[in-house]
Amino acid sequence: MSKIIFDTVLKWRMGPGRKVFPYKNIFLCIGLAGTRKYTSVHSGPDTQHSGEENKRTVDNLYKLSVNINKIRQLKGWVLHKDVAYVEETANILKEMGASELTVACILESCPEAFLQEPSEINTQKSIWNLVCPRDGDIVTIIKKFPDSFFAYKSPKNQQDNINYFQDLGLRNKIVCRLLTSAPQIFCSPVEDNKKMINSLQESYLSLGGAEENFKTWLLKLLSQDPFVLSKSPQAMKENLKFLQNLGFHDTEVLKLLSKLKGFIFDLTRGTMEKGVSFTKATFQCSQEELRHMIIKCPALLYYPVPVLEERLKHLLREGVSIFQIKECLNVLELTPQIIEFRVKKIKQLGHEMKDQNLDVINGNKNYFEANYVKLQVRKERPLFNPVAPLHVDE
């Protein structure tokens, strides 16, 4: 279970932007946002401390083979606190099944942990046990993502939100993934999350979605971007209204809502209007063509116009035509650096971009490499088979 959670959370946290990932594996690419909430009265880098390190704290860390220099470089202030619970924290982790090496690793990467009272840690453990009964799995999660366990605390809200997600029918494995990747949403009052999910359900049903499919749709949305729950319901409604005013049918708006994922909450009317104007001016398209293009490539709405212009100019400099880009709009999601690298690789095989379908440089790394290998094999393949029999007239 813990391995699946790690793979998921790493993909949620990687990269500067969001990406689409398969629902069955519950993937997502988004960075954590929010404020850490160390609730111990002894915690915090801004509180007063003496000029010397706490000798007892340092000695206890040495006994546990913790890299003190690493802590000094990253969060040296924790070593100056008058009160620390190094031994107590280590014992709790060991009782949960952590090895000495694991304990040292956790305390190095999140030294704020030993500033928290043992009762706080035990309370947090009992909350996580609601969705992850095996202590060993929790230890493995803590080792990878210690902040998720130690930094975000609001016991009443966390427990209420876990119960609410369970009542929605989300499996414990999914709730645990959310708790690991987006702990902030569990610290909010459960009423806030209920309000957002009710708003999502209302919009989903009003756009023609089937009630029996809402849970699956919601799970997919949360797996793509769990932070949608911290956004404004009003912003989503206003953006959906804008799309309807562009002439999109309800079914198309619902499709866009799924494709845009969390972006639908971050967009503004001004950003979308600029994107629409840029698309019309660049591709000389009708209103109907515009709708098809946006459904095909929602990035036309959520990328700022200067970003789209830069990528468009880069493609044109590489010999690509506007028509080619129009036929493969998703290529605009690639950065200039990626475009330059992939075009160079294609040209090394003797191909000119003006003669290629842009699908050859599109997609993620694995997709591009597969296409590149096909082109490479095609180039190296002999024009004829020298051992094949020749059919000649006698």
Side-chain angles (χ1 to χ4, degrees), residues 53-72 75-81 84-90 93-94 100-101 103-115:
E53 293 178 350
N54 185 323
K55 187 177 184 303
R56 183 170 180 272
T57 299
V58 173
D59 289 344
N60 286 333
L61 290 172
Y62 270 126
K63 290 177 185 177
L64 293 168
S65 301
V66 174
N67 186 339
I68 306 292
N69 288 330
K70 182 178 178 181
I71 295 179
R72 287 189 179 117
K75 299 176 181 178
W77 57 270
V78 301
L79 301 175
H80 295 267
K81 294 298 178 180
Y85 303 95
V86 177
E87 290 179 299
E88 294 86 345
T89 302
L93 291 171
K94 288 177 181 178
E100 290 187 0
L101 182 61
V103 170
C105 178
I106 292 171
L107 296 184
E108 286 171 14
S109 56
C110 185
E112 298 94 330
F114 58 72
L115 297 182

Side-chain angles (χ1 to χ4, degrees), residues 203-351:
S203 297
Y204 178 79
L205 296 177
S206 68
L207 293 172
E211 188 166 0
E212 60 269 21
N213 296 332
F214 173 71
K215 177 186 157 185
T216 302
W217 179 84
L218 175 66
L219 178 58
K220 184 176 181 180
L221 183 66
L222 292 178
S223 68
Q224 292 169 333
D225 183 1
F227 295 98
V228 297
L229 295 181
S230 62
K231 304 297 175 62
S232 164
Q234 187 60 32
M236 177 191 67
K237 290 180 179 179
E238 290 175 359
N239 289 336
L240 294 180
K241 185 67 176 176
F242 175 82
L243 294 174
Q244 289 173 321
N245 291 339
L246 279 179
F248 286 100
H249 302 299
D250 285 350
T251 53
E252 294 173 327
V253 174
L254 183 58
K255 186 183 295 185
L256 267 177
L257 180 59
S258 300
K259 281 193 169 188
L260 285 167
K261 305 179 286 299
F263 285 113
I264 192 66
F265 302 93
D266 299 324
L267 291 171
T268 65
R269 185 183 183 89
T271 301
M272 292 190 288
E273 286 177 344
K274 290 176 182 177
V276 168
S277 299
F278 168 81
T279 304
K280 282 184 175 180
T282 302
F283 300 104
Q284 298 296 306
C285 57
S286 65
Q287 194 71 13
E288 184 177 354
E289 285 179 312
L290 172 70
R291 293 197 299 271
H292 288 306
M293 292 168 70
I294 290 175
I295 290 175
K296 187 176 179 181
C297 180
L300 293 170
L301 284 180
Y302 59 74
Y303 276 128
V305 168
V307 172
L308 294 172
E309 286 177 338
E310 181 188 15
R311 296 177 181 185
L312 183 72
K313 289 176 182 177
H314 204 87
L315 285 164
L316 294 176
R317 282 198 297 268
E318 297 291 352
V320 176
S321 68
I322 290 291
F323 176 78
Q324 285 175 290
I325 297 173
K326 187 176 181 180
E327 292 298 303
C328 185
L329 288 166
N330 288 326
V331 76
L332 291 172
E333 296 185 20
L334 302 177
T335 65
Q337 293 77 16
I338 293 176
I339 292 171
E340 185 177 355
F341 172 79
R342 294 183 179 183
V343 169
K344 182 179 179 181
K345 297 275 285 185
I346 298 300
K347 287 183 175 179
Q348 286 174 347
L349 295 178
H351 297 284

Side-chain angles (χ1 to χ4, degrees), residues 15-84:
R18 302 175 177 91
K19 296 186 180 180
V20 180
F21 301 101
Y23 155 58
K24 290 298 181 183
N25 294 322
I26 314 296
F27 295 156
L28 172 50
C29 176
I30 186 169
L32 269 180
T35 304
R36 295 177 179 180
K37 300 179 180 178
Y38 295 103
T39 58
S40 172
V41 295
H42 310 294
S43 301
D46 299 325
T47 55
Q48 294 293 323
H49 56 71
S50 60
E52 296 182 357
E53 293 178 350
N54 185 323
K55 187 177 184 303
R56 183 170 180 272
T57 299
V58 173
D59 289 344
N60 286 333
L61 290 172
Y62 270 126
K63 290 177 185 177
L64 293 168
S65 301
V66 174
N67 186 339
I68 306 292
N69 288 330
K70 182 178 178 181
I71 295 179
R72 287 189 179 117
Q73 290 172 0
L74 299 178
K75 299 176 181 178
W77 57 270
V78 301
L79 301 175
H80 295 267
K81 294 298 178 180
D82 295 331
V83 180

Side-chain angles (χ1 to χ4, degrees), residues 143-161:
K143 184 179 178 181
K144 293 287 185 180
F145 310 105
D147 281 357
S148 295
F149 183 87
F150 290 110
Y152 297 92
K153 293 184 192 280
S154 181
K156 176 69 165 59
N157 288 336
Q158 285 175 306
Q159 189 163 345
D160 288 346
N161 278 300

Side-chain angles (χ1 to χ4, degrees), residues 1-7 131-134 137 141 172-177:
M1 174 180 173
S2 55
K3 183 180 184 302
I4 298 174
I5 292 174
F6 302 150
D7 293 341
V131 292
C132 190
R134 294 176 54 188
D137 287 338
I141 293 171
N172 282 343
K173 185 184 295 185
I174 304 301
V175 180
C176 189
R177 291 172 185 171

